[in-house]
mmCIF file of all heavy atoms in Angstrom:
data_model
loop_
_atom_site.group_PDB
_atom_site.id
_atom_site.type_symbol
_atom_site.label_atom_id
_atom_site.label_comp_id
_atom_site.label_asym_id
_atom_site.label_seq_id
_atom_site.Cartn_x
_atom_site.Cartn_y
_atom_site.Cartn_z
ATOM 1 N N TYR Y 1 72.081 178.182 152.222
ATOM 2 C CA TYR Y 1 71.350 177.681 153.394
ATOM 3 C C TYR Y 1 69.854 177.850 153.177
ATOM 4 O O TYR Y 1 69.384 178.895 152.718
ATOM 5 C CB TYR Y 1 71.770 178.433 154.652
ATOM 6 C CG TYR Y 1 71.268 177.795 155.927
ATOM 7 C CD1 TYR Y 1 72.020 176.821 156.584
ATOM 8 C CD2 TYR Y 1 70.034 178.154 156.468
ATOM 9 C CE1 TYR Y 1 71.552 176.223 157.749
ATOM 10 C CE2 TYR Y 1 69.566 177.551 157.625
ATOM 11 C CZ TYR Y 1 70.321 176.591 158.262
ATOM 12 O OH TYR Y 1 69.849 175.993 159.394
ATOM 13 N N ARG Y 2 69.092 176.801 153.514
ATOM 14 C CA ARG Y 2 67.636 176.866 153.451
ATOM 15 C C ARG Y 2 67.067 176.183 154.686
ATOM 16 O O ARG Y 2 67.517 175.101 155.073
ATOM 17 C CB ARG Y 2 67.114 176.199 152.178
ATOM 18 C CG ARG Y 2 65.604 176.278 152.027
ATOM 19 C CD ARG Y 2 65.154 175.818 150.652
ATOM 20 N NE ARG Y 2 65.591 176.743 149.609
ATOM 21 C CZ ARG Y 2 65.362 176.535 148.306
ATOM 22 N NH1 ARG Y 2 64.728 175.447 147.911
ATOM 23 N NH2 ARG Y 2 65.767 177.411 147.426
ATOM 24 N N GLU Y 3 66.068 176.822 155.297
ATOM 25 C CA GLU Y 3 65.462 176.318 156.530
ATOM 26 C C GLU Y 3 65.075 174.847 156.379
ATOM 27 O O GLU Y 3 64.476 174.438 155.396
ATOM 28 C CB GLU Y 3 64.225 177.143 156.881
ATOM 29 C CG GLU Y 3 63.618 176.810 158.228
ATOM 30 C CD GLU Y 3 64.497 177.218 159.390
ATOM 31 O OE1 GLU Y 3 65.322 178.139 159.219
ATOM 32 O OE2 GLU Y 3 64.363 176.615 160.469
ATOM 33 N N GLY Y 4 65.430 174.038 157.376
ATOM 34 C CA GLY Y 4 65.103 172.614 157.340
ATOM 35 C C GLY Y 4 66.176 171.814 156.638
ATOM 36 O O GLY Y 4 66.731 170.857 157.185
ATOM 37 N N TYR Y 5 66.498 172.216 155.399
ATOM 38 C CA TYR Y 5 67.511 171.512 154.609
ATOM 39 C C TYR Y 5 68.930 171.788 155.112
ATOM 40 O O TYR Y 5 69.838 171.011 154.856
ATOM 41 C CB TYR Y 5 67.447 171.942 153.152
ATOM 42 C CG TYR Y 5 66.334 171.337 152.333
ATOM 43 C CD1 TYR Y 5 65.239 172.084 151.937
ATOM 44 C CD2 TYR Y 5 66.404 170.012 151.908
ATOM 45 C CE1 TYR Y 5 64.226 171.533 151.157
ATOM 46 C CE2 TYR Y 5 65.412 169.449 151.123
ATOM 47 C CZ TYR Y 5 64.324 170.216 150.747
ATOM 48 O OH TYR Y 5 63.329 169.666 149.976
ATOM 49 N N GLY Y 6 69.129 172.921 155.782
ATOM 50 C CA GLY Y 6 70.486 173.316 156.125
ATOM 51 C C GLY Y 6 71.218 173.746 154.869
ATOM 52 O O GLY Y 6 70.628 174.318 153.937
ATOM 53 N N ASN Y 7 72.523 173.500 154.823
ATOM 54 C CA ASN Y 7 73.287 173.806 153.615
ATOM 55 C C ASN Y 7 72.847 172.850 152.506
ATOM 56 O O ASN Y 7 72.902 171.628 152.670
ATOM 57 C CB ASN Y 7 74.785 173.670 153.869
ATOM 58 C CG ASN Y 7 75.320 174.767 154.774
ATOM 59 O OD1 ASN Y 7 74.847 175.899 154.721
ATOM 60 N ND2 ASN Y 7 76.287 174.444 155.627
ATOM 61 N N LEU Y 8 72.417 173.447 151.386
ATOM 62 C CA LEU Y 8 71.729 172.686 150.339
ATOM 63 C C LEU Y 8 72.289 173.030 148.966
ATOM 64 O O LEU Y 8 72.578 174.195 148.676
ATOM 65 C CB LEU Y 8 70.231 173.037 150.379
ATOM 66 C CG LEU Y 8 69.347 172.564 149.235
ATOM 67 C CD1 LEU Y 8 69.147 171.056 149.297
ATOM 68 C CD2 LEU Y 8 67.989 173.286 149.282
ATOM 69 N N VAL Y 9 72.399 171.991 148.129
ATOM 70 C CA VAL Y 9 72.713 172.191 146.715
ATOM 71 C C VAL Y 9 71.578 171.582 145.902
ATOM 72 O O VAL Y 9 71.181 170.435 146.136
ATOM 73 C CB VAL Y 9 74.053 171.540 146.316
ATOM 74 C CG1 VAL Y 9 74.252 171.625 144.795
ATOM 75 C CG2 VAL Y 9 75.218 172.228 147.024
ATOM 76 N N VAL Y 10 71.035 172.359 144.968
ATOM 77 C CA VAL Y 10 69.982 171.902 144.065
ATOM 78 C C VAL Y 10 70.535 171.939 142.647
ATOM 79 O O VAL Y 10 71.066 172.967 142.214
ATOM 80 C CB VAL Y 10 68.731 172.798 144.159
ATOM 81 C CG1 VAL Y 10 67.664 172.328 143.176
ATOM 82 C CG2 VAL Y 10 68.191 172.812 145.582
ATOM 83 N N VAL Y 11 70.427 170.825 141.934
ATOM 84 C CA VAL Y 11 70.936 170.734 140.561
ATOM 85 C C VAL Y 11 69.770 170.426 139.629
ATOM 86 O O VAL Y 11 69.033 169.462 139.850
ATOM 87 C CB VAL Y 11 72.024 169.650 140.426
ATOM 88 C CG1 VAL Y 11 72.508 169.560 138.979
ATOM 89 C CG2 VAL Y 11 73.200 169.954 141.356
ATOM 90 N N ASN Y 12 69.602 171.245 138.595
ATOM 91 C CA ASN Y 12 68.615 170.977 137.562
ATOM 92 C C ASN Y 12 69.265 170.209 136.415
ATOM 93 O O ASN Y 12 70.346 170.580 135.940
ATOM 94 C CB ASN Y 12 68.014 172.283 137.037
ATOM 95 C CG ASN Y 12 67.051 172.920 138.025
ATOM 96 O OD1 ASN Y 12 66.692 172.309 139.030
ATOM 97 N ND2 ASN Y 12 66.643 174.148 137.756
ATOM 98 N N HIS Y 13 68.582 169.151 136.004
ATOM 99 C CA HIS Y 13 69.084 168.294 134.924
ATOM 100 C C HIS Y 13 68.164 168.401 133.710
ATOM 101 O O HIS Y 13 67.124 169.063 133.758
ATOM 102 C CB HIS Y 13 69.152 166.838 135.405
ATOM 103 C CG HIS Y 13 69.916 166.656 136.674
ATOM 104 N ND1 HIS Y 13 71.282 166.467 136.720
ATOM 105 C CD2 HIS Y 13 69.500 166.653 137.979
ATOM 106 C CE1 HIS Y 13 71.671 166.336 137.980
ATOM 107 N NE2 HIS Y 13 70.613 166.452 138.761
ATOM 108 N N ALA Y 14 68.536 167.730 132.639
ATOM 109 C CA ALA Y 14 67.700 167.692 131.446
ATOM 110 C C ALA Y 14 66.415 166.913 131.729
ATOM 111 O O ALA Y 14 66.287 166.249 132.761
ATOM 112 C CB ALA Y 14 68.473 167.046 130.291
ATOM 113 N N GLN Y 15 65.441 167.025 130.819
ATOM 114 C CA GLN Y 15 64.184 166.275 130.881
ATOM 115 C C GLN Y 15 63.382 166.569 132.149
ATOM 116 O O GLN Y 15 62.674 165.715 132.665
ATOM 117 C CB GLN Y 15 64.453 164.771 130.743
ATOM 118 C CG GLN Y 15 65.139 164.399 129.439
ATOM 119 C CD GLN Y 15 65.398 162.918 129.322
ATOM 120 O OE1 GLN Y 15 64.672 162.101 129.859
ATOM 121 N NE2 GLN Y 15 66.456 162.562 128.591
ATOM 122 N N GLY Y 16 63.504 167.791 132.663
ATOM 123 C CA GLY Y 16 62.677 168.205 133.790
ATOM 124 C C GLY Y 16 62.983 167.503 135.095
ATOM 125 O O GLY Y 16 62.100 167.341 135.942
ATOM 126 N N LYS Y 17 64.234 167.101 135.311
ATOM 127 C CA LYS Y 17 64.627 166.437 136.553
ATOM 128 C C LYS Y 17 65.462 167.367 137.421
ATOM 129 O O LYS Y 17 66.170 168.246 136.928
ATOM 130 C CB LYS Y 17 65.428 165.159 136.263
ATOM 131 C CG LYS Y 17 64.619 164.060 135.586
ATOM 132 C CD LYS Y 17 63.587 163.487 136.529
ATOM 133 C CE LYS Y 17 62.828 162.348 135.882
ATOM 134 N NZ LYS Y 17 61.844 161.740 136.785
ATOM 135 N N GLN Y 18 65.366 167.151 138.719
ATOM 136 C CA GLN Y 18 66.123 167.935 139.684
ATOM 137 C C GLN Y 18 66.593 167.031 140.815
ATOM 138 O O GLN Y 18 65.869 166.128 141.236
ATOM 139 C CB GLN Y 18 65.250 169.051 140.253
ATOM 140 C CG GLN Y 18 65.945 169.970 141.244
ATOM 141 C CD GLN Y 18 64.975 170.985 141.835
ATOM 142 O OE1 GLN Y 18 64.317 170.700 142.838
ATOM 143 N NE2 GLN Y 18 64.873 172.157 141.209
ATOM 144 N N THR Y 19 67.801 167.270 141.321
ATOM 145 C CA THR Y 19 68.288 166.542 142.497
ATOM 146 C C THR Y 19 68.662 167.548 143.583
ATOM 147 O O THR Y 19 69.080 168.672 143.301
ATOM 148 C CB THR Y 19 69.504 165.655 142.169
ATOM 149 O OG1 THR Y 19 70.505 166.437 141.487
ATOM 150 C CG2 THR Y 19 69.083 164.496 141.280
ATOM 151 N N ARG Y 20 68.475 167.112 144.846
ATOM 152 C CA ARG Y 20 68.773 167.969 145.988
ATOM 153 C C ARG Y 20 69.674 167.219 146.973
ATOM 154 O O ARG Y 20 69.456 166.035 147.246
ATOM 155 C CB ARG Y 20 67.488 168.409 146.685
ATOM 156 C CG ARG Y 20 66.545 169.197 145.779
ATOM 157 C CD ARG Y 20 65.314 169.698 146.514
ATOM 158 N NE ARG Y 20 64.438 170.460 145.623
ATOM 159 C CZ ARG Y 20 63.377 171.145 146.000
ATOM 160 N NH1 ARG Y 20 63.042 171.191 147.287
ATOM 161 N NH2 ARG Y 20 62.643 171.802 145.116
ATOM 162 N N TYR Y 21 70.647 167.936 147.533
ATOM 163 C CA TYR Y 21 71.643 167.361 148.435
ATOM 164 C C TYR Y 21 71.661 168.249 149.685
ATOM 165 O O TYR Y 21 72.096 169.410 149.615
ATOM 166 C CB TYR Y 21 73.014 167.343 147.760
ATOM 167 C CG TYR Y 21 72.998 166.787 146.345
ATOM 168 C CD1 TYR Y 21 72.524 167.549 145.273
ATOM 169 C CD2 TYR Y 21 73.459 165.497 146.060
ATOM 170 C CE1 TYR Y 21 72.502 167.050 143.981
ATOM 171 C CE2 TYR Y 21 73.444 164.988 144.766
ATOM 172 C CZ TYR Y 21 72.960 165.771 143.732
ATOM 173 O OH TYR Y 21 72.938 165.276 142.439
ATOM 174 N N ALA Y 22 71.208 167.705 150.826
ATOM 175 C CA ALA Y 22 70.937 168.556 151.986
ATOM 176 C C ALA Y 22 71.727 168.155 153.232
ATOM 177 O O ALA Y 22 72.329 167.078 153.293
ATOM 178 C CB ALA Y 22 69.442 168.534 152.296
ATOM 179 N N HIS Y 23 71.670 169.056 154.242
ATOM 180 C CA HIS Y 23 72.335 168.931 155.546
ATOM 181 C C HIS Y 23 73.863 168.960 155.397
ATOM 182 O O HIS Y 23 74.592 168.375 156.215
ATOM 183 C CB HIS Y 23 71.908 167.642 156.277
ATOM 184 C CG HIS Y 23 70.438 167.496 156.451
ATOM 185 N ND1 HIS Y 23 69.621 168.549 156.797
ATOM 186 C CD2 HIS Y 23 69.617 166.405 156.316
ATOM 187 C CE1 HIS Y 23 68.366 168.124 156.878
ATOM 188 N NE2 HIS Y 23 68.336 166.842 156.580
ATOM 189 N N LEU Y 24 74.353 169.614 154.358
ATOM 190 C CA LEU Y 24 75.789 169.615 154.087
ATOM 191 C C LEU Y 24 76.567 170.424 155.119
ATOM 192 O O LEU Y 24 76.083 171.427 155.656
ATOM 193 C CB LEU Y 24 76.052 170.185 152.692
ATOM 194 C CG LEU Y 24 75.332 169.501 151.527
ATOM 195 C CD1 LEU Y 24 75.728 170.159 150.214
ATOM 196 C CD2 LEU Y 24 75.610 168.014 151.496
ATOM 197 N N LEU Y 25 77.776 169.982 155.374
ATOM 198 C CA LEU Y 25 78.689 170.751 156.219
ATOM 199 C C LEU Y 25 79.030 172.064 155.534
ATOM 200 O O LEU Y 25 79.053 173.130 156.161
ATOM 201 C CB LEU Y 25 79.960 169.935 156.477
ATOM 202 C CG LEU Y 25 81.065 170.602 157.290
ATOM 203 C CD1 LEU Y 25 80.602 170.824 158.721
ATOM 204 C CD2 LEU Y 25 82.327 169.740 157.265
#
């Protein structure tokens, strides 16, 4: 859990990329 985002998953990928998935149940 992170303020604002709610339940959140952050994934780090190759080549300095990141994706975020927020407001999850």
Side-chain angles (χ1 to χ4, degrees):
Y1 191 89
R2 182 170 292 177
E3 187 68 25
Y5 282 108
N7 290 326
L8 169 71
V9 173
V10 178
V11 179
N12 287 350
H13 307 273
Q15 300 180 30
K17 293 291 183 178
Q18 182 184 87
T19 51
R20 300 184 179 188
Y21 312 77
H23 305 319
L24 304 181
L25 177 67

